[in-house]
mmCIF file of all heavy atoms in Angstrom:
data_model
loop_
_atom_site.group_PDB
_atom_site.id
_atom_site.type_symbol
_atom_site.label_atom_id
_atom_site.label_comp_id
_atom_site.label_asym_id
_atom_site.label_seq_id
_atom_site.Cartn_x
_atom_site.Cartn_y
_atom_site.Cartn_z
ATOM 1 N N SER A 1 127.867 106.095 131.513
ATOM 2 C CA SER A 1 128.901 105.950 130.477
ATOM 3 C C SER A 1 128.442 106.714 129.182
ATOM 4 O O SER A 1 127.256 106.804 128.976
ATOM 5 C CB SER A 1 129.161 104.487 130.168
ATOM 6 O OG SER A 1 128.059 103.940 129.473
ATOM 7 N N PRO A 2 129.364 107.118 128.372
ATOM 8 C CA PRO A 2 129.007 107.745 127.092
ATOM 9 C C PRO A 2 128.132 106.819 126.261
ATOM 10 O O PRO A 2 127.175 107.282 125.575
ATOM 11 C CB PRO A 2 130.331 108.017 126.433
ATOM 12 C CG PRO A 2 131.335 108.134 127.561
ATOM 13 C CD PRO A 2 130.833 107.104 128.575
ATOM 14 N N GLU A 3 128.422 105.533 126.273
ATOM 15 C CA GLU A 3 127.649 104.584 125.421
ATOM 16 C C GLU A 3 126.190 104.481 125.935
ATOM 17 O O GLU A 3 125.254 104.492 125.137
ATOM 18 C CB GLU A 3 128.300 103.227 125.427
ATOM 19 C CG GLU A 3 129.673 103.173 124.737
ATOM 20 C CD GLU A 3 130.772 103.794 125.604
ATOM 21 O OE1 GLU A 3 130.687 103.871 126.839
ATOM 22 O OE2 GLU A 3 131.830 104.188 124.971
ATOM 23 N N THR A 4 126.015 104.414 127.225
ATOM 24 C CA THR A 4 124.642 104.385 127.768
ATOM 25 C C THR A 4 123.940 105.668 127.538
ATOM 26 O O THR A 4 122.732 105.686 127.215
ATOM 27 C CB THR A 4 124.688 104.087 129.301
ATOM 28 O OG1 THR A 4 125.332 102.824 129.499
ATOM 29 C CG2 THR A 4 123.305 104.006 129.905
ATOM 30 N N LEU A 5 124.660 106.779 127.695
ATOM 31 C CA LEU A 5 124.049 108.078 127.391
ATOM 32 C C LEU A 5 123.573 108.185 125.947
ATOM 33 O O LEU A 5 122.499 108.656 125.664
ATOM 34 C CB LEU A 5 125.075 109.223 127.717
ATOM 35 C CG LEU A 5 124.519 110.632 127.641
ATOM 36 C CD1 LEU A 5 123.374 110.829 128.606
ATOM 37 C CD2 LEU A 5 125.639 111.607 127.980
ATOM 38 N N ALA A 6 124.398 107.706 125.043
ATOM 39 C CA ALA A 6 124.024 107.687 123.615
ATOM 40 C C ALA A 6 122.783 106.836 123.397
ATOM 41 O O ALA A 6 121.868 107.216 122.686
ATOM 42 C CB ALA A 6 125.181 107.175 122.767
ATOM 43 N N GLU A 7 122.748 105.699 124.059
ATOM 44 C CA GLU A 7 121.610 104.812 123.886
ATOM 45 C C GLU A 7 120.324 105.458 124.420
ATOM 46 O O GLU A 7 119.271 105.409 123.801
ATOM 47 C CB GLU A 7 121.884 103.483 124.624
ATOM 48 C CG GLU A 7 120.796 102.463 124.469
ATOM 49 C CD GLU A 7 121.119 101.182 125.186
ATOM 50 O OE1 GLU A 7 122.241 100.747 125.123
ATOM 51 O OE2 GLU A 7 120.203 100.631 125.825
ATOM 52 N N GLU A 8 120.440 106.088 125.583
ATOM 53 C CA GLU A 8 119.213 106.681 126.238
ATOM 54 C C GLU A 8 118.721 107.907 125.540
ATOM 55 O O GLU A 8 117.537 108.227 125.577
ATOM 56 C CB GLU A 8 119.501 106.923 127.692
ATOM 57 C CG GLU A 8 119.620 105.611 128.496
ATOM 58 C CD GLU A 8 119.708 105.885 129.979
ATOM 59 O OE1 GLU A 8 119.515 106.994 130.442
ATOM 60 O OE2 GLU A 8 119.966 104.865 130.684
ATOM 61 N N THR A 9 119.663 108.673 124.932
ATOM 62 C CA THR A 9 119.261 109.896 124.246
ATOM 63 C C THR A 9 118.951 109.736 122.800
ATOM 64 O O THR A 9 118.288 110.617 122.216
ATOM 65 C CB THR A 9 120.365 110.993 124.418
ATOM 66 O OG1 THR A 9 121.548 110.506 123.811
ATOM 67 C CG2 THR A 9 120.634 111.338 125.860
ATOM 68 N N GLY A 10 119.460 108.656 122.227
ATOM 69 C CA GLY A 10 119.321 108.489 120.764
ATOM 70 C C GLY A 10 120.325 109.346 119.971
ATOM 71 O O GLY A 10 120.170 109.506 118.772
ATOM 72 N N LEU A 11 121.303 109.878 120.673
ATOM 73 C CA LEU A 11 122.294 110.723 120.026
ATOM 74 C C LEU A 11 123.555 109.911 119.755
ATOM 75 O O LEU A 11 123.870 108.973 120.453
ATOM 76 C CB LEU A 11 122.612 111.912 120.929
ATOM 77 C CG LEU A 11 121.489 112.847 121.317
ATOM 78 C CD1 LEU A 11 121.974 113.889 122.304
ATOM 79 C CD2 LEU A 11 120.901 113.504 120.065
ATOM 80 N N SER A 12 124.321 110.354 118.772
ATOM 81 C CA SER A 12 125.651 109.808 118.558
ATOM 82 C C SER A 12 126.628 110.367 119.513
ATOM 83 O O SER A 12 126.374 111.402 120.174
ATOM 84 C CB SER A 12 126.084 110.099 117.102
ATOM 85 O OG SER A 12 126.403 111.493 116.992
ATOM 86 N N LEU A 13 127.770 109.774 119.659
ATOM 87 C CA LEU A 13 128.824 110.342 120.540
ATOM 88 C C LEU A 13 129.273 111.709 120.076
ATOM 89 O O LEU A 13 129.561 112.578 120.904
ATOM 90 C CB LEU A 13 130.051 109.365 120.640
ATOM 91 C CG LEU A 13 129.719 108.014 121.346
ATOM 92 C CD1 LEU A 13 130.923 107.123 121.313
ATOM 93 C CD2 LEU A 13 129.199 108.198 122.743
ATOM 94 N N GLN A 14 129.281 111.936 118.785
ATOM 95 C CA GLN A 14 129.645 113.252 118.201
ATOM 96 C C GLN A 14 128.563 114.307 118.638
ATOM 97 O O GLN A 14 128.869 115.480 118.927
ATOM 98 C CB GLN A 14 129.808 113.231 116.693
ATOM 99 C CG GLN A 14 131.008 112.413 116.276
ATOM 100 C CD GLN A 14 130.743 110.898 116.228
ATOM 101 O OE1 GLN A 14 129.584 110.435 116.366
ATOM 102 N NE2 GLN A 14 131.785 110.099 116.099
ATOM 103 N N GLN A 15 127.309 113.938 118.562
ATOM 104 C CA GLN A 15 126.212 114.836 118.987
ATOM 105 C C GLN A 15 126.263 115.166 120.451
ATOM 106 O O GLN A 15 126.038 116.253 120.847
ATOM 107 C CB GLN A 15 124.850 114.257 118.595
ATOM 108 C CG GLN A 15 124.598 114.218 117.092
ATOM 109 C CD GLN A 15 123.367 113.379 116.733
ATOM 110 O OE1 GLN A 15 123.035 112.377 117.366
ATOM 111 N NE2 GLN A 15 122.677 113.898 115.709
ATOM 112 N N ILE A 16 126.611 114.121 121.255
ATOM 113 C CA ILE A 16 126.749 114.333 122.680
ATOM 114 C C ILE A 16 127.884 115.346 122.951
ATOM 115 O O ILE A 16 127.748 116.289 123.724
ATOM 116 C CB ILE A 16 126.989 113.008 123.452
ATOM 117 C CG1 ILE A 16 125.705 112.172 123.371
ATOM 118 C CG2 ILE A 16 127.489 113.253 124.858
ATOM 119 C CD1 ILE A 16 125.839 110.758 123.888
ATOM 120 N N GLU A 17 129.001 115.167 122.256
ATOM 121 C CA GLU A 17 130.117 116.095 122.437
ATOM 122 C C GLU A 17 129.716 117.492 122.028
ATOM 123 O O GLU A 17 130.038 118.499 122.715
ATOM 124 C CB GLU A 17 131.336 115.614 121.600
ATOM 125 C CG GLU A 17 132.525 116.503 121.744
ATOM 126 C CD GLU A 17 133.183 116.438 123.133
ATOM 127 O OE1 GLU A 17 133.084 115.405 123.811
ATOM 128 O OE2 GLU A 17 133.734 117.508 123.545
ATOM 129 N N ALA A 18 128.994 117.645 120.960
ATOM 130 C CA ALA A 18 128.534 118.963 120.504
ATOM 131 C C ALA A 18 127.580 119.593 121.511
ATOM 132 O O ALA A 18 127.598 120.761 121.782
ATOM 133 C CB ALA A 18 127.891 118.861 119.113
ATOM 134 N N GLY A 19 126.688 118.780 122.077
ATOM 135 C CA GLY A 19 125.751 119.288 123.078
ATOM 136 C C GLY A 19 126.433 119.730 124.322
ATOM 137 O O GLY A 19 126.092 120.782 124.900
ATOM 138 N N VAL A 20 127.385 118.966 124.774
ATOM 139 C CA VAL A 20 128.190 119.357 125.980
ATOM 140 C C VAL A 20 128.969 120.626 125.708
ATOM 141 O O VAL A 20 129.035 121.518 126.540
ATOM 142 C CB VAL A 20 129.077 118.169 126.412
ATOM 143 C CG1 VAL A 20 130.062 118.624 127.485
ATOM 144 C CG2 VAL A 20 128.248 116.989 126.906
ATOM 145 N N THR A 21 129.573 120.700 124.554
ATOM 146 C CA THR A 21 130.333 121.908 124.197
ATOM 147 C C THR A 21 129.447 123.111 124.122
ATOM 148 O O THR A 21 129.769 124.193 124.609
ATOM 149 C CB THR A 21 131.082 121.712 122.829
ATOM 150 O OG1 THR A 21 131.940 120.561 122.927
ATOM 151 C CG2 THR A 21 131.820 122.933 122.400
ATOM 152 N N TRP A 22 128.252 122.969 123.519
ATOM 153 C CA TRP A 22 127.316 124.089 123.407
ATOM 154 C C TRP A 22 126.989 124.600 124.829
ATOM 155 O O TRP A 22 126.932 125.779 125.050
ATOM 156 C CB TRP A 22 126.028 123.672 122.667
ATOM 157 C CG TRP A 22 125.113 124.818 122.438
ATOM 158 C CD1 TRP A 22 125.049 125.667 121.408
ATOM 159 C CD2 TRP A 22 124.073 125.272 123.384
ATOM 160 N NE1 TRP A 22 124.105 126.634 121.595
ATOM 161 C CE2 TRP A 22 123.481 126.405 122.782
ATOM 162 C CE3 TRP A 22 123.625 124.807 124.593
ATOM 163 C CZ2 TRP A 22 122.446 127.086 123.410
ATOM 164 C CZ3 TRP A 22 122.616 125.529 125.211
ATOM 165 C CH2 TRP A 22 122.034 126.643 124.616
ATOM 166 N N ARG A 23 126.712 123.670 125.730
ATOM 167 C CA ARG A 23 126.333 124.070 127.090
ATOM 168 C C ARG A 23 127.448 124.832 127.756
ATOM 169 O O ARG A 23 127.270 125.784 128.435
ATOM 170 C CB ARG A 23 125.903 122.843 127.922
ATOM 171 C CG ARG A 23 125.563 123.111 129.313
ATOM 172 C CD ARG A 23 124.281 123.952 129.364
ATOM 173 N NE ARG A 23 123.938 124.270 130.676
ATOM 174 C CZ ARG A 23 123.638 125.473 131.126
ATOM 175 N NH1 ARG A 23 123.576 126.484 130.309
ATOM 176 N NH2 ARG A 23 123.314 125.669 132.399
ATOM 177 N N SER A 24 128.673 124.318 127.543
ATOM 178 C CA SER A 24 129.834 124.946 128.174
ATOM 179 C C SER A 24 130.010 126.395 127.598
ATOM 180 O O SER A 24 130.242 127.303 128.412
ATOM 181 C CB SER A 24 131.109 124.152 127.884
ATOM 182 O OG SER A 24 132.208 124.776 128.414
ATOM 183 N N ILE A 25 129.876 126.585 126.327
ATOM 184 C CA ILE A 25 130.005 127.883 125.733
ATOM 185 C C ILE A 25 128.900 128.797 126.169
ATOM 186 O O ILE A 25 129.090 129.943 126.512
ATOM 187 C CB ILE A 25 130.043 127.750 124.177
ATOM 188 C CG1 ILE A 25 131.381 127.092 123.767
ATOM 189 C CG2 ILE A 25 129.908 129.140 123.543
ATOM 190 C CD1 ILE A 25 131.388 126.677 122.299
ATOM 191 N N ASP A 26 127.677 128.254 126.259
ATOM 192 C CA ASP A 26 126.530 129.062 126.735
ATOM 193 C C ASP A 26 126.775 129.521 128.139
ATOM 194 O O ASP A 26 126.497 130.690 128.488
ATOM 195 C CB ASP A 26 125.271 128.210 126.628
ATOM 196 C CG ASP A 26 124.007 128.971 126.956
ATOM 197 O OD1 ASP A 26 123.838 130.093 126.418
ATOM 198 O OD2 ASP A 26 123.156 128.437 127.676
ATOM 199 N N PHE A 27 127.285 128.644 129.020
ATOM 200 C CA PHE A 27 127.553 129.037 130.390
ATOM 201 C C PHE A 27 128.672 130.073 130.436
ATOM 202 O O PHE A 27 128.573 131.058 131.233
ATOM 203 C CB PHE A 27 127.954 127.830 131.234
ATOM 204 C CG PHE A 27 128.277 128.208 132.653
ATOM 205 C CD1 PHE A 27 127.304 128.561 133.553
ATOM 206 C CD2 PHE A 27 129.603 128.275 133.056
ATOM 207 C CE1 PHE A 27 127.618 128.962 134.829
ATOM 208 C CE2 PHE A 27 129.954 128.689 134.377
ATOM 209 C CZ PHE A 27 128.923 129.008 135.246
ATOM 210 N N GLN A 28 129.681 129.935 129.623
ATOM 211 C CA GLN A 28 130.780 130.918 129.604
ATOM 212 C C GLN A 28 130.254 132.308 129.193
ATOM 213 O O GLN A 28 130.597 133.289 129.801
ATOM 214 C CB GLN A 28 131.874 130.478 128.686
ATOM 215 C CG GLN A 28 132.691 129.348 129.208
ATOM 216 C CD GLN A 28 133.676 128.829 128.208
ATOM 217 O OE1 GLN A 28 133.802 129.330 127.066
ATOM 218 N NE2 GLN A 28 134.416 127.724 128.520
ATOM 219 N N HIS A 29 129.347 132.323 128.229
ATOM 220 C CA HIS A 29 128.772 133.618 127.814
ATOM 221 C C HIS A 29 127.957 134.247 128.992
ATOM 222 O O HIS A 29 128.047 135.469 129.217
ATOM 223 C CB HIS A 29 127.886 133.429 126.608
ATOM 224 C CG HIS A 29 128.619 133.164 125.355
ATOM 225 N ND1 HIS A 29 128.070 132.723 124.199
ATOM 226 C CD2 HIS A 29 129.946 133.378 125.049
ATOM 227 C CE1 HIS A 29 128.936 132.574 123.283
ATOM 228 N NE2 HIS A 29 130.099 132.982 123.738
ATOM 229 N N TRP A 30 127.177 133.382 129.663
ATOM 230 C CA TRP A 30 126.403 133.862 130.808
ATOM 231 C C TRP A 30 127.348 134.434 131.869
ATOM 232 O O TRP A 30 127.129 135.526 132.402
ATOM 233 C CB TRP A 30 125.534 132.767 131.402
ATOM 234 C CG TRP A 30 124.747 133.219 132.571
ATOM 235 C CD1 TRP A 30 123.477 133.761 132.543
ATOM 236 C CD2 TRP A 30 125.131 133.232 133.938
ATOM 237 N NE1 TRP A 30 123.099 134.127 133.796
ATOM 238 C CE2 TRP A 30 124.086 133.799 134.692
ATOM 239 C CE3 TRP A 30 126.290 132.856 134.577
ATOM 240 C CZ2 TRP A 30 124.149 133.984 136.034
ATOM 241 C CZ3 TRP A 30 126.349 133.018 135.972
ATOM 242 C CH2 TRP A 30 125.267 133.591 136.679
ATOM 243 N N HIS A 31 128.356 133.656 132.178
ATOM 244 C CA HIS A 31 129.306 134.097 133.242
ATOM 245 C C HIS A 31 130.031 135.385 132.895
ATOM 246 O O HIS A 31 130.176 136.267 133.738
ATOM 247 C CB HIS A 31 130.339 132.970 133.495
ATOM 248 C CG HIS A 31 131.200 133.236 134.691
ATOM 249 N ND1 HIS A 31 130.683 133.387 135.944
ATOM 250 C CD2 HIS A 31 132.526 133.380 134.798
ATOM 251 C CE1 HIS A 31 131.658 133.635 136.804
ATOM 252 N NE2 HIS A 31 132.776 133.616 136.131
ATOM 253 N N GLN A 32 130.363 135.575 131.626
ATOM 254 C CA GLN A 32 130.979 136.833 131.183
ATOM 255 C C GLN A 32 130.027 137.992 131.340
ATOM 256 O O GLN A 32 130.453 139.104 131.721
ATOM 257 C CB GLN A 32 131.418 136.730 129.747
ATOM 258 C CG GLN A 32 132.636 135.816 129.532
ATOM 259 C CD GLN A 32 132.928 135.544 128.075
ATOM 260 O OE1 GLN A 32 132.155 135.910 127.202
ATOM 261 N NE2 GLN A 32 134.019 134.855 127.811
ATOM 262 N N GLN A 33 128.722 137.771 131.109
ATOM 263 C CA GLN A 33 127.758 138.814 131.186
ATOM 264 C C GLN A 33 127.301 139.066 132.613
ATOM 265 O O GLN A 33 127.153 140.258 133.033
ATOM 266 C CB GLN A 33 126.561 138.490 130.333
ATOM 267 C CG GLN A 33 125.560 139.620 130.229
ATOM 268 C CD GLN A 33 124.469 139.327 129.227
ATOM 269 O OE1 GLN A 33 124.377 138.282 128.653
ATOM 270 N NE2 GLN A 33 123.587 140.266 129.028
ATOM 271 N N PHE A 34 127.080 138.024 133.421
ATOM 272 C CA PHE A 34 126.481 138.198 134.761
ATOM 273 C C PHE A 34 127.328 137.716 135.894
ATOM 274 O O PHE A 34 126.900 137.867 137.048
ATOM 275 C CB PHE A 34 125.131 137.437 134.774
ATOM 276 C CG PHE A 34 124.153 137.907 133.788
ATOM 277 C CD1 PHE A 34 123.876 137.064 132.673
ATOM 278 C CD2 PHE A 34 123.510 139.156 133.860
ATOM 279 C CE1 PHE A 34 122.952 137.535 131.737
ATOM 280 C CE2 PHE A 34 122.613 139.537 132.898
ATOM 281 C CZ PHE A 34 122.317 138.734 131.826
ATOM 282 N N GLY A 35 128.439 137.076 135.626
ATOM 283 C CA GLY A 35 129.258 136.483 136.656
ATOM 284 C C GLY A 35 129.766 137.500 137.653
ATOM 285 O O GLY A 35 129.834 138.685 137.386
ATOM 286 N N LYS A 36 130.126 136.977 138.850
ATOM 287 C CA LYS A 36 130.643 137.819 139.902
ATOM 288 C C LYS A 36 131.992 138.430 139.492
ATOM 289 O O LYS A 36 132.872 137.710 139.026
ATOM 290 C CB LYS A 36 130.795 136.977 141.167
ATOM 291 C CG LYS A 36 130.994 137.769 142.415
ATOM 292 C CD LYS A 36 130.913 136.810 143.612
ATOM 293 C CE LYS A 36 131.006 137.645 144.892
ATOM 294 N NZ LYS A 36 130.946 136.772 146.045
ATOM 295 N N LYS A 37 132.119 139.723 139.594
ATOM 296 C CA LYS A 37 133.267 140.424 139.148
ATOM 297 C C LYS A 37 134.310 140.712 140.257
ATOM 298 O O LYS A 37 135.432 141.108 140.028
ATOM 299 C CB LYS A 37 132.875 141.793 138.542
ATOM 300 C CG LYS A 37 131.845 141.663 137.452
ATOM 301 C CD LYS A 37 132.476 141.628 136.080
ATOM 302 C CE LYS A 37 131.497 141.824 135.005
ATOM 303 N NZ LYS A 37 130.867 140.630 134.493
ATOM 304 N N ASP A 38 133.944 140.492 141.503
ATOM 305 C CA ASP A 38 134.788 140.871 142.619
ATOM 306 C C ASP A 38 135.171 139.703 143.526
ATOM 307 O O ASP A 38 135.394 139.875 144.690
ATOM 308 C CB ASP A 38 134.190 141.995 143.454
ATOM 309 C CG ASP A 38 132.822 141.630 143.996
ATOM 310 O OD1 ASP A 38 132.285 140.572 143.605
ATOM 311 O OD2 ASP A 38 132.307 142.401 144.840
ATOM 312 N N GLY A 39 135.309 138.542 142.960
ATOM 313 C CA GLY A 39 135.676 137.349 143.732
ATOM 314 C C GLY A 39 137.175 137.197 143.858
ATOM 315 O O GLY A 39 137.915 138.085 143.453
ATOM 316 N N PRO A 40 137.583 136.044 144.400
ATOM 317 C CA PRO A 40 139.039 135.841 144.587
ATOM 318 C C PRO A 40 139.852 135.794 143.265
ATOM 319 O O PRO A 40 141.018 136.056 143.262
ATOM 320 C CB PRO A 40 139.129 134.499 145.314
ATOM 321 C CG PRO A 40 137.787 133.863 145.141
ATOM 322 C CD PRO A 40 136.770 134.955 144.910
#
């Protein structure tokens, strides 16, 4: 749960959201640079 995650990480729910968003954006950048270009 988000509450347990906040407790275990010491992060606020806003920091968790920012961390998840950062990871998503980082992955999108990687995919744009190296992702498969000839898939379905």
Side-chain angles (χ1 to χ4, degrees):
S1 72
E3 294 76 21
T4 301
L5 187 58
E7 183 179 319
E8 291 187 9
T9 60
L11 301 174
S12 69
L13 293 176
Q14 292 82 11
Q15 290 170 323
I16 290 170
E17 182 67 31
V20 170
T21 300
W22 184 90
R23 179 66 180 131
S24 177
I25 291 169
D26 187 47
F27 178 75
Q28 288 173 4
H29 288 164
W30 179 90
H31 189 60
Q32 288 170 353
Q33 186 173 3
F34 301 108
K36 195 172 186 181
K37 305 266 193 269
D38 58 350

